[in-house]
Amino acid sequence: MPDDLSWLFESTTRPERGLFFTRNSGADPRMGDIAARTADAYASADVVLLGCPQDEGVRRNGGRPGAAAAPDAIRDRLYRLVAIPGVRLLDLGDTILGESLEETHDRQRRIVAQLIRDGKRVIALGGGNDLSYPDCAGLATAAGGDLLAFNLDTHFDVREDTPRNSGTPYRQLIEERFLGRGQLVELGHQPFAVARSHRDYLERHGAQVHALSTWRAGGVVATVEGILADSRSQAIFWGLDMDVVRASDAPGVSAPSPTGLTAEEICALAEAIGGEPRTRVLEITEVCPAFDLDMRTSRLAALVIWHALSASAAR
Amino acid sequence: MPDDLSWLFESTTRPERGLFFTRNSGADPRMGDIAARTADAYASADVVLLGCPQDEGVRRNGGRPGAAAAPDAIRDRLYRLVAIPGVRLLDLGDTILGESLEETHDRQRRIVAQLIRDGKRVIALGGGNDLSYPDCAGLATAAGGDLLAFNLDTHFDVREDTPRNSGTPYRQLIEERFLGRGQLVELGHQPFAVARSHRDYLERHGAQVHALSTWRAGGVVATVEGILADSRSQAIFWGLDMDVVRASDAPGVSAPSPTGLTAEEICALAEAIGGEPRTRVLEITEVCPAFDLDMRTSRLAALVIWHALSASAAR
Amino acid sequence: MPDDLSWLFESTTRPERGLFFTRNSGADPRMGDIAARTADAYASADVVLLGCPQDEGVRRNGGRPGAAAAPDAIRDRLYRLVAIPGVRLLDLGDTILGESLEETHDRQRRIVAQLIRDGKRVIALGGGNDLSYPDCAGLATAAGGDLLAFNLDTHFDVREDTPRNSGTPYRQLIEERFLGRGQLVELGHQPFAVARSHRDYLERHGAQVHALSTWRAGGVVATVEGILADSRSQAIFWGLDMDVVRASDAPGVSAPSPTGLTAEEICALAEAIGGEPRTRVLEITEVCPAFDLDMRTSRLAALVIWHALSASAAR
């Protein structure tokens, strides 16, 4: 095994075998039948799934912990879905947590950068939304800075708090120059959830900002396709905070909102994300199984991944 | 009492009196005030409600048991709704279960066939989706085979498993020649939930297949009306697996899906079903009260019945 | 303190300080930072929030108790939302309950009348829907009878029951001549939930009646704007029974319905309500925290208030 690959496997823990569902039926293969879990499969994999099971950033932000349990809950649901022909998916497992959130972020960022350098597309499962900092920074490092980042979220996540928390990642990315003018798109915020001062901050730094209402009025998919058509960036980062979906469809999140995208809308968007050739990282954060209802939110997160992979394979 | 009628009453158990809600108010009659429960009312009844309180087929399919409790949960909610003038509804009670699922199915099929021969419309409450086998076969027997069957479901339910389970009924109906080419309409499946091999099976056997997305794109009611207009069948079977409704509106099912029909869509469809003169059986399966939230799914199943009866009475 | 003001504060109890959320951040002020709770702020306040924490009327109507806990649950969620610039909101607290529902209603009515006479807009939080009787009567008294009342509800609430309960308020208002011909608009009822005799009663007394389906077909906001444009009344009462919202978006109500307005529709309507200069009372009833899911219904009630206040401030 090359050193780089050894390092990737040493920095992560393997998912439980029991998560890889099977019906033991050639007539009905499932995602759990095709997701590879071995170092051997790395070279041929085109998509790598990586979890980061922590919610320290949510705690620091005064939120409800629980997102640490999300990666395995989402895997549990994803691997029961029907297998997609042509998808080569490697599940690298979970990033081994550091002593501090900062140390965890450093490791996560290096792993993501390595995966990108190896030509993989990455599906990153949080954890809290603080993860967007290392995930997007990792992509920016590996992709040479030529990227476009989407924050699909009810909140802006540009808080000025220190130390960093689940509400600060996009401010960190701006302040540390990973995202320059025009490189951040904030989609889906709702006015009762965002401070005026944070909106001003985004405007000063040249972010594109579309509230949920205007986003929807322009068409959830059409608006995104328009932004993609206007961008020459060669690497796209998608940060999906599941709280952008309304509480009835995504009850198990750290901070639910009664209004938001529907399950159908986020799945349609997932197809656009998977179908976009420049997509490099799809990150799903803030799923909180402890507050979920019958795993509804984990099921939806699994569908988002499935639709993205399906569109990617059909490309 | 004629022998046939004695046999019907001996093959079924009476619903608890307490389920028949009343406000004891002539100004505000409820369904529980008009639903007859006596043999005397059989001759004049035009609709017969019949439960089958078992979930053995769900267990065999590796699913979550609980659907056995559905008939009484749905009755509890149905009988609280406002009475519909002109409806003559007899609640025959529940089919007495056999020693095996197969024996239960045999009895259910004979009961349904008898009801159809007596000119009744049948509302059949599962139980697991395996019930579609005896319900549809019973109709086919009594109606001389000239029927059209709709499976409204996220799944195809044409599994090749033996023994039979909640995932096999429509394959059984095809293999046993109850449903020939053009006689089965599969509506509402979602791609992450159906195997390629099962889709191929349906195509080989001449079923009409519409995914949820294409069904909706053509209009949920308009698509069905178009299919009805094209069909010369004189007897229509409707198999409604409640998991075709999205989890937020129907959380209490054996296998919930975050995406699916809305409560409004299924109620509008129920009106089309009730308003269609050729409708003979409306079957509702897979409601699972143990996983329900404040009886939301049982409430919705009751509304489906209410809207169908209301449209039927208005015809 | 003037006598009238002393009386208002003596007739009500102060909300717990802990309900007034703050992040202690000038960059991120919340509603809890701007809601005044002092007698001093009364003169300058333009909106007064008033709770009535009782569910005796629900009990009398055979419903599920629990609405008594709603005012504080809604406050808890409202005060976490982002502060609206320009809003001067005083939270008067909760009406002190009487020995009987009738006594509580008398006090509530006198408080509302006083607030209206002092030029305030009132946000009244139930409690059961019986509250519409004193709230609307209080407005009618203070406004000289020139009012238009909206009942946004799955039910008509014109039951003939005695003693009064949560299903009788609009009949009381009609019988006691607070609402004459053309002064009551019933919006959002569903046919399975309303008795024929009650519909006849409303027609005899000249109420405008729009079922949910026809309301929606005409546009939820557009229909209301049309009614407002046709009315010369100078004072508008809005009685919002949260069960007009579908159960997936408002699970925590006394009598949930699987079908109903969406969270988005009720928030859009709230903006129309807040933006209408003649709006005097916005009453929210029937929230039942004991049956709620992760406070989803209280969150939605808070959003309704927020959107109304926001549109009011933008006027």
Side-chain angles (χ1 to χ4, degrees), chain A residues 15-292:
Chain A
E16 296 275 334
R17 283 189 69 86
L19 291 167
F20 294 87
F21 182 83
T22 181
R23 278 197 81 124
N24 293 310
S25 160
D28 187 9
R30 303 300 178 96
M31 291 299 292
D33 289 312
I34 64 165
R37 330 144 221 184
T38 63
D40 291 352
Y42 186 81
S44 62
D46 41 33
V47 182
V48 173
L49 189 146
L50 172 70
C52 189
Q54 58 76 26
D55 45 30
E56 173 60 20
V58 178
R59 283 172 213 267
R60 289 185 183 177
N61 194 20
R64 315 188 299 187
D72 275 359
I74 297 170
R75 285 184 176 103
D76 180 68
R77 291 295 115 187
L78 174 63
Y79 292 139
R80 287 169 187 271
L81 301 177
V82 165
I84 303 165
V87 163
R88 291 186 298 273
L89 172 66
L90 181 125
D91 187 337
L92 190 58
D94 288 344
T95 297
I96 294 173
L97 304 185
E99 298 282 305
S100 65
L101 183 63
E102 286 71 11
E103 195 185 324
T104 300
H105 282 178
D106 285 348
R107 188 172 297 151
Q108 175 85 8
R109 178 176 158 186
R110 277 181 288 137
I111 295 172
V112 170
Q114 183 65 47
L115 294 173
I116 297 296
R117 275 194 296 266
D118 290 345
K120 311 304 182 191
R121 297 176 108 184
V122 178
I123 295 171
L125 304 181
N129 208 147
D130 48 270
L131 201 65
S132 299
Y133 169 65
D135 284 346
C136 190
L139 173 58
T141 305
D146 176 25
L147 85 164
L148 183 66
F150 286 83
N151 180 28
L152 313 167
D153 199 336
T154 294
H155 312 86
F156 286 144
D157 288 343
V158 291
R159 301 190 67 80
E160 59 287 348
D161 306 344
T162 52
R164 67 180 69 167
N165 64 39
S166 65
T168 64
Y170 292 96
R171 184 178 286 238
Q172 292 172 264
L173 289 162
I174 289 170
E175 298 295 324
E176 299 183 23
R177 311 290 168 92
F178 290 110
L179 294 177
R181 299 191 71 78
Q183 288 189 287
L184 173 60
V185 185
E186 293 266 6
L187 281 179
H189 79 272
Q190 296 193 63
F192 52 80
V194 293
R196 178 79 241 172
S197 64
H198 297 159
R199 187 193 306 266
D200 294 343
Y201 175 85
L202 287 166
E203 282 175 17
R204 279 202 308 278
H205 289 82
Q208 295 184 56
V209 178
H210 301 266
L212 175 66
S213 54
T214 52
W215 182 16
R216 213 173 222 158
V220 168
V221 171
T223 298
V224 167
E225 287 177 342
I227 295 168
L228 288 171
D230 286 349
S231 169
R232 296 197 201 128
S233 295
Q234 287 308 305
I236 316 278
F237 171 87
W238 304 90
L240 167 58
D241 180 333
M242 281 293 280
D243 74 20
V244 77
V245 180
R246 59 188 178 175
S248 59
D249 284 338
V253 296
S254 310
S257 165
T259 45
L261 291 185
T262 66
E264 269 80 0
E265 286 172 333
I266 199 70
C267 287
L269 188 60
E271 292 190 353
I273 290 171
E276 166 58 54
R278 297 171 291 172
T279 290
R280 301 307 302 274
V281 178
L282 168 56
E283 175 202 78
I284 302 178
T285 59
E286 298 287 327
V287 171
C288 187
F291 290 93
D292 209 357

Side-chain angles (χ1 to χ4, degrees), chain B residues 5-21:
Chain B
L5 196 51
S6 294
W7 177 79
L8 280 177
F9 278 77
E10 283 160 15
S11 304
T12 52
T13 59
R14 264 191 133 179
E16 296 275 335
R17 285 189 66 88
L19 291 167
F20 295 88
F21 182 83

